Amino acid sequence: MCIYMDKSQQEQYEEMFKRFDADRDGKISARELQQFVKTTGGEMSLEEAEAVVRSSDEDGDGLLALEEFSALMEGVVGGDRGVDHHQEEMREAFRMYANAGDEESSSTAAVCITPRSLKRVLSRLGDKRSVDECQQMIAAYDLDADGVLSFDEFKLIIIS
């Protein structure tokens, strides 16, 4: 499925949480957050990761439990400026990637980010990546394993 996932928001957060929680201890450390961002082609210093964890660490253990992670994600999705405005900004950014002149995504029935459309946009931004590298980047966030990113999956990238 390409446009929307059939899962509740909480189920999506649980799946995302599992991807971040590399050691499967039920908590996300700053190092796990940093490592996840690196594996998806992003950059985040340990200090930045620690700041993100601190911002949502309600029990003070220096780690993010699922509930804390979910609250963090709600903040990323909703933000202080209102859900509607923030959602529209994310949709606009998503459309930029999805509508990068890719023949695969030219159908109006399915709007998604393909490896080729991602490659084209990154190239325009001066980041030369192969289609294989773009497939790997997409796979890190592709919760339904269909090989493309839906809007809901794209929102995951916002926190990276």
Side-chain angles (χ1 to χ4, degrees), residues 17 27 53 56-61 63-74:
F17 183 85
K27 301 270 187 162
V53 170
S56 295
D57 180 19
E58 293 182 18
D59 61 10
D61 66 354
L63 303 167
L64 294 179
L66 176 60
E67 298 78 26
E68 294 164 329
F69 178 78
S70 296
L72 172 64
M73 291 307 300
E74 283 296 319

Side-chain angles (χ1 to χ4, degrees), residues 9-19 66 70:
Q9 194 71 28
Q10 186 58 35
E11 288 172 326
Q12 290 178 38
Y13 293 155
E14 288 172 14
E15 285 198 37
M16 291 165 39
F17 183 85
K18 289 176 186 174
R19 289 182 178 245
L66 176 60
S70 296

Side-chain angles (χ1 to χ4, degrees), residues 76-97:
V76 169
V77 173
D80 294 332
R81 299 176 343 192
V83 173
D84 291 338
H85 181 68
H86 193 70
Q87 283 276 77
E88 187 52 38
E89 285 182 347
M90 284 193 297
R91 285 193 188 283
E92 191 174 313
F94 175 75
R95 283 190 291 267
M96 177 184 80
Y97 283 90

Side-chain angles (χ1 to χ4, degrees), residues 86-134:
H86 193 70
Q87 283 276 77
E88 187 52 38
E89 285 182 347
M90 284 193 297
R91 285 193 188 283
E92 191 174 313
F94 175 75
R95 283 190 291 267
M96 177 184 80
Y97 283 90
N99 298 328
D102 189 355
E103 303 79 37
E104 295 173 38
S105 65
S106 62
S107 166
T108 57
V111 177
C112 53
I113 298 172
T114 67
R116 284 192 178 110
S117 67
L118 178 59
K119 179 184 184 308
R120 283 190 181 100
V121 171
L122 291 177
S123 178
R124 290 177 195 157
L125 297 172
D127 187 359
K128 304 290 186 204
R129 302 281 179 134
S130 70
V131 172
D132 288 341
E133 288 173 310
C134 291

